[in-house]
């Protein structure tokens, strides 16, 4: 984990990658921290029962959920942009006409 937190620099001395901070609340660091916490909890609880290892199924389950919510769901339920764009143009023309009448 310490290698992920180190900053990397380009040949000219400029910063190429600032590294990952596990205390960040957005991005990959949040998911990485969740996996680390899940691993620690499973290791502790596995002292009491071997069936606790099934909790590891939560990690791919959450990954599939995030994939559906952020990528697949919006992509599959997206409207056709050409059909959605045409009424917007009509509304814009009407608004322009109304504004011209006011002035």
């Amino acid at each position: 984990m310490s290698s992920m937190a180190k900053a990397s620099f380009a040949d000219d001395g400029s910063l190429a990658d600032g590294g990952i901070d596990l205390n960040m609340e957005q991005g990959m660091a949040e998911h990485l921290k969740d996996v680390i916490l899940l691993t620690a909890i499973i290791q502790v609880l596995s002292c009491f029962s071997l069936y606790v290892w099934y909790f590891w199924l939560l990690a791919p389950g959450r990954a599939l959920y995030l994939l559906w919510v952020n990528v697949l769901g919006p992509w599959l339920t997206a409207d056709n942009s050409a059909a959605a764009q045409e009424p917007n143009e009509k509304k814009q023309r009407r608004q322009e006409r109304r504004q011209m009448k006011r002035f």
Side-chain angles (χ1 to χ4, degrees), residues 42-102:
I42 288 173
Q43 284 182 345
V44 169
L45 293 177
S46 68
C47 295
F48 304 110
S49 174
L50 292 177
Y51 293 107
V52 175
W53 289 105
Y54 288 115
F55 282 123
W56 255 113
L57 296 175
L58 293 174
R62 182 162 188 244
L64 289 173
Y65 170 75
L66 290 173
L67 181 68
W68 177 259
V69 169
N70 295 324
V71 179
L72 296 177
W75 180 64
L76 292 174
T77 60
D79 293 333
N80 189 0
S81 62
Q85 211 173 27
E86 187 175 322
N88 290 338
E89 291 175 6
K90 290 180 182 178
K91 288 181 183 178
Q92 186 177 6
R93 288 181 199 152
R94 288 179 193 159
Q95 288 177 353
E96 288 175 0
R97 287 182 204 151
R98 290 178 187 163
Q99 287 178 356
M100 294 296 252
K101 290 180 182 179
R102 290 181 189 169

Side-chain angles (χ1 to χ4, degrees), residues 16-59:
D17 181 24
I20 294 179
D21 181 15
L22 288 179
N23 293 325
M24 290 174 41
E25 294 187 9
Q26 294 178 347
M28 282 301 294
E30 179 182 8
H31 306 300
L32 181 63
K33 187 176 182 180
D34 290 343
V35 170
I36 292 170
L37 288 172
L38 181 66
T39 302
I41 291 168
I42 288 173
Q43 284 182 345
V44 169
L45 293 177
S46 68
C47 295
F48 304 110
S49 174
L50 292 177
Y51 293 107
V52 175
W53 289 105
Y54 288 115
F55 282 123
W56 255 113
L57 296 175
L58 293 174

